[in-house]
Amino acid sequence: MITNYMGVLLLNEKEIDLRSLTVNRSLASIPLGGRYRVVDFVLSNMVNSGVINIGAFIKSDSRSLAEHLGTGKPWGLDRNINGLHIYQYSPTGMLQGDIKLINNNLGFFKKSIQENVIVTRSNMICKIDYKEIIRCHEASGKEITIVYKKIDNADREMLDGTMLFIDEDGIVKETGINLGGQQEANMSMEMFLMSKEKFLEFMKMGMQKGLNESNFETIYNYAKSNDINTCEYKGYLKRIDSTNSYFSANMDMLDPELLSELFYRHGRIFTKVKNDPPAKYSHHSDVNNSLVANGCIIDGTVKNSVLSRQVVVKKGAVVENSVILQGCVIEENATLKNVVLDKEVTVKKNSYLRGSTQYPYVVEKGSVITP
Amino acid sequence: MNTKQTKEMVAMILAGGQGTRLKDLTKDVCKPAIPFAGKYRIIDFALSNCTHSGIDTVGVLTQYKPMSLHTHIGVGTPWDLDRMNGGVYMLSPYMTEAGGNWYEGTANAIFENIEFIDYNNPEYLLILSGDHIYKMDYSDMLDFHKKNEADATIAVIEVPEEDVSRFGIMSTNPDGSIYEFVEKPKHSESRLASMGVYIFTWAKLRKMLVDDSKDTKSDHDFGKNIIPKMLCQEDRLFAFPFSGYWKDVGTIQSYWEANLDLIKDYSTLNLYDREWRIFSKSTINPPQYVGSEARIVNSIISDGGVILGDVHNSVLFPNVIVGKNSKVMNSVIMANTTIEENVIIDNAVIADDCTIKKNTVVSGEKDIALIGPGREISTNVLG
């Protein structure tokens, strides 16, 4: 079923706390869960919900994201009618705001036949059914709906995110910034539903007021004197905003129940097709509580870790509590603990690398680690 | 203006066979569509060989229960065959005003598709079977064919003496030209077996096929009719030597062995060679999850699975679930099959979409235990 909603993906996201993982790529194209990229979740959620006209606004120096998105084929978005449209902008020093970005690309909105928008980013990892949200939004009769989740660890997670104070009718009374001062909070998932007309009005307002920040501010301000509806989401949620939360999102997936929720129920998560043979386990392999992708060759020990495609773990090597991206080679008797290895890292024989549980050690793409 | 397109070589893959000795595995699918090696289908090897050999126009001749093959191949995207100029064509038997017939022999199948071949106007025609597992660069074979100015080149592989009676055996001169061809000889000096991979100069073959179609006594088969006739006529026939892994998995036993052989370090079919990847239509699945009490040793396991028990010396296809306290040994488990808790699987081949209920034993004592697709097993099966 195709809906009367188009998707607007603002992929110029805050990356500063992800450091070396975003040195060569946008947040949206960070590999996640041993097989996917961050953006696969929001794209798949939209497509599974019948939102098949999607505009993605990305930085022009994000080769990895542009290549991953391609023409949208993995998500069924390579179409003659609707489909995936990519708009690039060049970052000129300062982080360019959403508002200017959208205003430079109004053509997308003009030629789209849908009358409503779902605006969001990619950093909220969840499995959401937008059809439900659309039903909730339209039943409310309000102009705008924000999706939120009630969390109980706001003192540690989603810091600096927007908190919503909601009345008994589900309307936003007030918004605030999560400073970590309480455990329970209704956190905005930064997913907004409204008519296309209203959305463009906000963009125009933002331009006129000279706002160079996130356009979501304009919307949160609007909530002060207008009724904005909310819809609650109760499933898994992780905001990717730091090395910590990135690491934790990967570790969360070491759970068949969560794997079922995220990757099988209510539609799949789609990503670019790859051709790797199945994983091979040798006589010496000792693997527990881990995710192992296709193409891996395991001769050593792997515990509580996420291994992406084509990772080689040689005999005597030990990988614990780590996230290993595509193509890494862990040679004989090397030991890794609490580590994130970006793609194509080689860890030479007998090397020893260890981070702490709270601050995993991140190794940049292509590095060679020696003892 | 000549708008007729020309290809140097077009490939025709014979994929119409049933493979009756594979019993339940081919109940619903033809042999080339049988799953193999943890995530492929047998025809992926022939198709991937074409991709790597630079062949961009492939006809796949189907007949017996072709639906899963058609679905698997689609427009040929995984093998770079989704093209503006060329591509993969599924060629089934068809009707005309004069009626129609099923393919009645390998040569007849090609004869019925002369129109397709003429449309592509190739100089050479490559004919191969969709049921064999091997890696070969057909452009090397074409170079050999051209160098010898051959009318036909047949790829051959040396087989052990005790196996000569199973194959068509070629005898060759030092320059590689064939002077004798015997089908399934009891004894033979030569041990060069035909692999069923042929390159013909099209103009020559075309004429032979047309003549053969008029011969009511012919079986319309390459091995039985076309090749022997060419030998008789003293046409230029050459044997292209091939060495390396080559398997025809004709029985459950050989199918099971071929899959399990891949686990060994000395396996000569290297699936992990980045220079010769085997392409296939893949499903997108999360990586396999290996549980805290699982123990996996000497196995090949595909993505999407959840392994909570023991897996030894086995090949698991995508989305296979192995429950707690279960043991899977020396077996091949195909896609989307669930093995519940406290189950023992040993020496078995279990096909797609099965459920083996808790506390059951499926064990091949004498023969390999075979469970066909879509079954639910709650009582012990001893093969």
Side-chain angles (χ1 to χ4, degrees):
Chain A
M1 268 277 345
I2 298 176
T3 67
N4 191 11
Y5 284 75
M6 52 196 278
V8 179
L9 292 184
L10 301 170
L11 301 180
N12 53 334
E13 298 170 272
K14 207 169 92 158
E15 298 162 358
I16 192 129
D17 293 326
L18 284 154
R19 286 172 229 138
S20 51
L21 285 171
T22 50
V23 140
N24 282 315
R25 51 165 89 91
S26 297
L27 189 154
S29 66
I30 298 181
L32 179 64
R35 180 65 179 91
Y36 302 93
R37 292 191 190 248
V38 167
V39 74
D40 293 335
F41 290 84
V42 65
L43 275 177
S44 302
N45 286 336
M46 285 192 170
V47 163
N48 285 332
S49 308
V51 177
I52 46 111
N53 185 22
I54 301 177
F57 295 80
I58 78 178
K59 284 190 302 202
S60 64
D61 64 348
S62 185
R63 179 209 63 83
S64 119
L65 182 58
E67 200 180 292
H68 180 70
L69 293 173
T71 53
K73 197 176 163 104
W75 307 274
L77 292 170
D78 55 334
R79 294 167 174 261
N80 283 319
I81 309 178
N82 299 305
L84 180 69
H85 305 269
I86 301 181
Y87 298 94
Q88 296 186 329
Y89 68 96
S90 13
T92 46
M94 268 169 39
L95 176 73
Q96 181 157 95
D98 304 329
I99 291 171
K100 185 135 185 247
L101 192 46
I102 303 266
N103 276 290
N104 285 341
N105 292 294
L106 290 174
F108 169 59
F109 298 91
K110 291 200 172 86
K111 69 180 180 185
S112 295
I113 50 178
Q114 292 83 7
E115 295 166 315
N116 302 287
V117 301
I118 302 180
V119 191
T120 188
R121 297 191 185 286
S122 73
N123 62 351
M124 301 282 178
I125 304 299
C126 61
K127 189 74 176 295
I128 188 167
D129 181 357
Y130 285 112
K131 291 199 289 292
E132 281 300 314
I133 306 294
I134 289 171
R135 265 194 279 271
C136 160
H137 169 62
E138 295 186 349
S140 75
K142 302 294 178 198
E143 285 180 305
I144 302 174
T145 289
I146 304 180
V147 182
Y148 76 98
K149 181 178 176 176
K150 185 179 180 131
I151 66 173
D152 58 9
N153 54 6
D155 52 341
R156 287 171 287 125
E157 299 237 346
M158 299 192 76
L159 300 171
D160 293 335
T162 304
M163 290 188 302
L164 304 177
F165 296 94
I166 306 171
D167 71 18
E168 57 281 356
D169 296 318
I171 306 296
V172 178
K173 282 188 305 207
E174 236 191 284
T175 65
I177 300 294
N178 179 20
L179 301 174
Q182 70 290 310
Q183 285 186 314
E184 278 193 11
N186 293 321
M187 298 303 300
S188 162
M189 285 172 64
E190 310 238 293
M191 296 172 178
F192 305 87
L193 281 72
M194 66 192 81
S195 69
K196 183 162 68 178
E197 210 185 302
K198 191 80 203 167
F199 178 67
L200 292 175
E201 229 179 81
F202 276 124
M203 294 302 101
K204 196 158 166 216
M205 213 188 332
M207 281 292 270
Q208 286 165 348
K209 292 197 182 164
L211 295 176
N212 201 31
E213 288 295 315
S214 157
N215 69 38
F216 300 163
E217 257 182 53
T218 335
I219 303 174
Y220 292 132
N221 281 334
Y222 189 77
K224 294 194 167 97
S225 36
N226 295 278
D227 280 356
I228 291 193
N229 179 49
T230 59
C231 293
E232 190 185 359
Y233 164 77
K234 296 191 177 149
Y236 174 83
L237 176 66
K238 189 71 125 206
R239 186 183 71 176
I240 307 292
D241 54 29
S242 62
T243 317
N244 246 354
S245 57
Y246 170 76
F247 187 80
S248 160
N250 279 288
M251 291 295 128
D252 284 347
M253 293 186 198
L254 298 178
D255 169 8
E257 267 308 303
L258 182 62
L259 291 175
S260 209
E261 179 189 341
L262 283 181
F263 301 109
Y264 291 96
R265 262 179 251 148
H266 305 305
R268 310 285 218 124
I269 301 294
F270 304 103
T271 189
K272 208 164 163 192
V273 168
K274 298 289 180 182
N275 278 286
D276 291 292
K280 186 166 190 209
Y281 295 78
S282 78
H283 188 63
H284 311 283
S285 71
D286 182 12
V287 180
N288 286 102
N289 193 35
S290 295
L291 283 175
V292 177
N294 276 352
C296 285
I297 300 181
I298 318 246
D299 273 313
T301 301
V302 179
K303 310 272 177 193
N304 313 319
S305 296
V306 175
L307 301 191
S308 308
R309 295 178 301 112
Q310 298 161 28
V311 168
V312 176
V313 178
K314 298 213 170 160
K315 190 167 154 202
V318 177
V319 175
E320 280 184 68
N321 307 334
S322 295
V323 176
I324 315 288
L325 299 194
Q326 184 193 326
C328 292
V329 178
I330 324 289
E331 291 188 357
E332 289 84 346
N333 302 310
T335 306
L336 299 175
K337 197 164 178 165
N338 298 320
V339 150
V340 174
L341 297 188
D342 206 330
K343 294 187 183 188
E344 317 286 338
V345 167
T346 305
V347 181
K348 304 296 270 174
K349 298 193 228 272
N350 305 312
S351 302
Y352 180 88
L353 206 58
R354 186 190 170 136
S356 76
T357 340
Q358 276 164 326
Y359 297 100
Y361 189 90
V362 180
V363 178
E364 262 183 48
K365 185 171 169 178
S367 310
V368 177
I369 306 289
T370 50
Chain B
M1 185 166 73
N2 182 12
T3 55
K4 191 164 189 184
Q5 62 178 16
T6 318
K7 298 274 167 178
E8 190 180 25
M9 183 160 76
V10 163
M12 298 289 267
I13 303 182
L14 299 167
Q18 179 186 352
T20 46
R21 290 173 303 159
L22 288 161
K23 303 180 219 165
D24 276 2
L25 288 185
T26 50
K27 190 164 65 78
D28 297 322
V29 311
C30 59
K31 190 169 160 191
I34 290 180
F36 182 75
K39 71 169 259 192
Y40 308 99
R41 291 188 190 254
I42 291 179
I43 200 166
D44 292 337
F45 290 84
L47 283 170
S48 301
N49 287 344
C50 287
T51 314
H52 288 293
S53 305
I55 296 172
D56 64 13
T57 307
V58 179
V60 180
L61 283 73
T62 60
Q63 179 154 268
Y64 174 80
K65 294 203 175 165
M67 189 177 105
S68 64
L69 199 62
H70 286 234
T71 313
H72 179 69
I73 296 179
V75 295
T77 313
W79 306 276
D80 287 345
L81 291 171
D82 175 9
R83 301 171 163 265
M84 295 290 285
N85 186 19
V88 66
Y89 297 82
M90 305 303 289
L91 302 167
S92 295
Y94 54 88
M95 294 282 280
T96 65
E97 320 85 345
N101 17 262
W102 298 110
Y103 296 143
E104 282 155 17
T106 50
N108 171 255
I110 305 292
F111 170 72
E112 294 289 350
N113 287 291
I114 281 184
E115 194 182 337
F116 166 72
I117 301 167
D118 281 345
Y119 173 77
N120 287 290
N121 198 21
E123 217 181 313
Y124 306 100
L125 191 71
L126 168 69
I127 299 178
L128 41 117
S129 152
D131 339 5
H132 298 152
I133 301 160
Y134 63 108
K135 293 184 196 174
M136 189 192 282
D137 189 341
Y138 304 123
S139 62
D140 290 342
M141 188 174 164
L142 180 61
D143 285 343
F144 178 89
H145 179 89
K146 289 198 280 198
K147 195 168 62 107
N148 291 312
E149 291 174 349
D151 295 310
T153 300
I154 305 171
V156 294
I157 186 171
E158 209 173 276
V159 296
E161 211 173 315
E162 60 266 24
D163 286 346
V164 292
S165 57
R166 291 172 41 209
F167 297 95
I169 302 289
M170 310 275 160
S171 303
T172 55
N173 294 314
D175 66 350
S177 57
I178 300 171
Y179 66 84
E180 193 179 52
F181 168 55
V182 187
E183 275 277 26
K184 304 187 170 35
K186 289 216 165 49
H187 305 285
S188 172
E189 240 188 70
S190 167
R191 295 190 286 123
L192 293 176
S194 163
M195 293 169 71
V197 179
Y198 311 99
I199 290 182
F200 290 94
T201 300
W202 174 234
K204 178 82 189 182
L205 176 66
R206 192 186 194 288
K207 182 167 186 312
M208 299 216 61
L209 289 176
V210 170
D211 289 342
D212 176 79
S213 71
K214 300 178 186 142
D215 180 357
T216 49
K217 293 206 210 79
S218 171
D219 284 323
H220 311 299
D221 182 88
F222 282 108
K224 290 192 198 133
N225 308 106
I226 305 289
I227 304 292
K229 184 144 186 231
M230 289 180 88
L231 262 178
C232 250
Q233 287 172 181
E234 293 186 355
D235 284 331
R236 293 181 65 76
L237 259 64
F238 282 79
F240 176 72
F242 172 82
S243 61
Y245 182 101
W246 180 67
K247 268 213 188 350
D248 176 356
V249 289
T251 61
I252 300 290
Q253 177 77 23
S254 66
Y255 173 80
W256 174 86
E257 262 171 26
N259 275 283
L260 261 47
D261 272 348
L262 296 168
I263 302 169
K264 303 190 170 40
D265 284 333
Y266 58 73
S267 168
T268 46
L269 181 68
N270 181 8
L271 297 169
Y272 301 85
D273 179 2
R274 308 296 309 284
E275 312 265 301
W276 201 279
R277 282 184 288 165
I278 308 301
F279 302 106
S280 186
K281 181 178 175 188
S282 305
T283 47
I284 305 284
N285 304 301
Q288 73 213 216
Y289 173 72
V290 182
S292 307
E293 275 131 66
R295 186 143 167 67
I296 304 179
V297 162
N298 276 339
S299 293
I300 288 179
I301 303 190
S302 215
D303 54 12
V306 175
I307 316 293
L308 304 176
D310 290 2
V311 180
H312 289 236
N313 196 37
S314 294
V315 175
L316 269 51
F317 281 72
N319 297 317
V320 166
I321 300 179
V322 177
K324 279 206 180 109
N325 296 320
S326 289
K327 294 192 190 346
V328 176
M329 300 165 286
N330 312 313
S331 295
V332 177
I333 316 289
M334 295 192 211
N336 307 312
T337 283
T338 296
I339 294 167
E340 294 189 353
E341 290 135 41
N342 294 314
V343 168
I344 298 187
I345 313 277
D346 192 4
N347 278 343
V349 171
I350 302 186
D352 311 67
D353 302 302
C354 290
T355 304
I356 314 295
K357 306 293 288 172
K358 14 183 189 267
N359 307 314
T360 321
V361 173
V362 176
S363 176
E365 317 273 300
K366 220 170 33 123
D367 295 319
I368 304 299
L370 171 67
I371 310 285
R375 311 245 337 253
E376 188 180 287
I377 304 293
S378 43
T379 47
N380 293 349
V381 174
L382 303 172

